[in-house]
Amino acid sequence: MALWSILLDILQRPNPFAVMAELSMLVAPLWIAVLVGVLVGWSWRPKWAVLANQSDTAPVSSSFKLQLPSCISWISSDDSSSQPPPPTTLASDSSSSQLGKGKTSIVSTDDLQYLCKLVEVKDGGPAWIQMMDRSTPTMSYQAWRRDPESGPPQYRSRTVYEDATPEMLRDFFWDDEFRKKWDDMLIHSETLEECPTTGTMMVQWVRKFPFFCSDREYIIGRRIWESGRTYYCVTKGVSNSVPRRNKPRRVDLYYSSWCIRAAASKRDGQLTACEVLLFHYEDMGIPWEIAKLGVRQGMWGAVKKIEPGLRLYQKERGSGAPLSRQGYMAQINSKVSIDYLRTLENSSSSIGTSSESEIETSKGSSEKAQGRGSIPKVLVVGGAIAVACSLDRGLLTKALIFGVARRFANIGKRL
């Protein structure tokens, strides 16, 4: 390698001062490039990354106005970012409760229709671009991404777990109390409201971010529909009366829903496996191009760590461990017929239809975001260095670390 030859040539010189001088001249441009990339990457602040506590009507003079990054928390005198917010007193039988009044509109049949169209690839969105196809003896995983004309990147994944039932997966992903055992980003969860009739819930999450970033708060509405042994689980950010604080930072745009159903085992073809189709997107305040940088090559390293949590959950449930409140609520489902689901899927009230051919399997497909110009590489690389060197928790952040590390390793090989 050229770089290795240069280093050997420098180290073989007899004068140690000359060696130090040569090494400094070799390393200095690299450090300058890194620092410039970090500074430029942090200073780039498009309109969609403006702090949530700023007024929506406040003028933004320039998308590239230099300013300090919003996630540098040590500058603020408020040191409560690592503390979960105080409990919110929104009882399910309160007169002000959205669910207590019988209103389940926070998660309605419109959301079920949207999820059905996503499952059947009839939502009219852009084509899905395949990112990966990996497997272990007890799990297989496929993932796709697409870039809508507006909004953050959207992800679709299909995971098949061997020796698992749809009911077990349904309870597993709904159980916030147990989730803390396998999701190391979740530091606080609380049920704000619940409807014992439909199973609709409003929950509050706080997810841990690195020491210089504010933690993220989510107010999530969720509900499950059942058709046979197929479960349509909708979770999304909802409007609410929970007071907004500077820290943790509220994430308003959040969608994470899945369809759970039995699948054929790759061992014998019997329906002893379980398929989970997940659709996810959110705006955490991290530039979208940076988020996409590491996901392609790094997601698998994070995804495969979910299965140990599932197997532990199966073991505890099998041993007769008591069901948590969230696990109990996961079993209250709104039942719908297959004919009704087909009506929703084929309804023209949405933005059009598309066919299964829109799921692209070619890994060489273009990744250029539709309707958006490309971002200079110095911004992407600089921001990625700053993010990937610090975000060390959670599915997306771990994927960023793994992906960025591999990308720079490949660069080193080419040298």
Side-chain angles (χ1 to χ4, degrees), residues 25-298:
M25 293 178 63
L26 179 65
V27 175
L30 298 178
W31 277 110
I32 293 174
V34 169
L35 291 176
V36 171
V38 170
L39 292 175
V40 176
W42 277 131
S43 63
W44 176 58
R45 291 290 304 280
K47 294 181 180 179
W48 43 262
V50 177
L51 279 172
N53 62 341
Q54 292 179 341
S55 171
D56 292 337
T57 60
V60 181
S61 59
S62 172
S63 296
F64 293 89
K65 181 178 180 180
L66 296 179
Q67 51 186 308
L68 289 174
S70 62
C71 59
I72 297 181
S73 61
W74 66 69
I75 297 178
S76 172
S77 59
D78 182 5
D79 59 355
S80 61
S81 62
S82 61
Q83 300 297 325
T88 307
T89 57
L90 292 179
S92 60
D93 59 349
S94 169
S95 60
S96 63
S97 169
Q98 298 181 47
L99 304 183
K101 293 180 179 180
K103 298 179 181 179
T104 58
S105 59
I106 61 169
V107 186
S108 67
T109 53
D110 290 339
D111 299 298
L112 173 62
Q113 180 187 38
Y114 179 53
L115 178 56
C116 287
K117 287 179 176 291
L118 286 172
V119 171
E120 300 300 328
V121 199
K122 295 181 178 180
D123 65 302
W128 292 99
I129 302 170
Q130 187 171 24
M131 298 169 54
M132 65 186 68
D133 187 349
R134 302 287 185 88
S135 64
T136 68
T138 56
M139 179 187 72
S140 62
Y141 179 79
Q142 296 171 297
W144 297 263
R145 195 202 76 241
R146 69 181 182 184
D147 299 296
E149 293 184 358
S150 62
Q154 299 178 359
Y155 295 92
R156 176 186 192 268
S157 68
R158 177 181 183 267
T159 311
V160 177
Y161 296 97
E162 297 288 335
D163 303 316
T165 65
E167 292 74 21
M168 185 65 67
L169 266 298
R170 174 200 63 189
D171 298 350
F172 171 69
F173 285 115
W174 224 245
D175 195 332
D176 293 342
E177 183 177 325
F178 187 85
R179 176 180 285 269
K180 296 175 183 177
K181 296 182 180 182
W182 60 271
D183 185 351
D184 55 7
M185 281 190 72
L186 185 63
I187 60 174
H188 175 78
S189 65
E190 179 183 354
T191 300
L192 304 181
E193 302 183 34
E194 62 183 38
C195 176
T197 303
T198 64
T200 305
M201 302 176 68
M202 182 187 292
V203 300
Q204 179 188 49
W205 280 7
V206 176
R207 298 179 73 80
K208 182 66 177 178
F209 271 61
F211 68 94
F212 64 86
C213 287
S214 299
D215 296 339
R216 297 304 196 262
E217 177 193 38
Y218 301 77
I219 306 298
I220 300 171
R222 61 191 192 184
R223 183 179 177 183
I224 301 176
W225 283 266
E226 175 189 353
S227 179
R229 294 188 65 201
T230 299
Y231 299 93
Y232 296 86
C233 310
V234 175
T235 74
K236 65 173 189 176
V238 295
S239 59
N240 57 84
S241 58
V242 179
R244 187 183 296 270
R245 308 196 308 167
N246 290 336
K247 297 179 182 180
R249 177 179 174 180
R250 179 77 55 84
V251 174
D252 294 307
L253 179 56
Y254 175 83
Y255 183 86
S256 187
S257 301
W258 49 93
C259 174
I260 304 174
R261 55 195 178 190
S265 171
K266 61 183 179 182
R267 293 194 298 261
D268 53 16
Q270 300 297 314
L271 294 178
T272 56
C274 185
E275 174 190 67
V276 180
L277 295 174
L278 170 67
F279 303 88
H280 181 95
Y281 57 87
E282 64 178 290
D283 186 359
M284 298 181 294
I286 297 175
W288 303 332
E289 292 295 334
I290 293 178
K292 291 192 302 183
L293 180 65
V295 169
R296 168 184 280 272
Q297 296 180 336

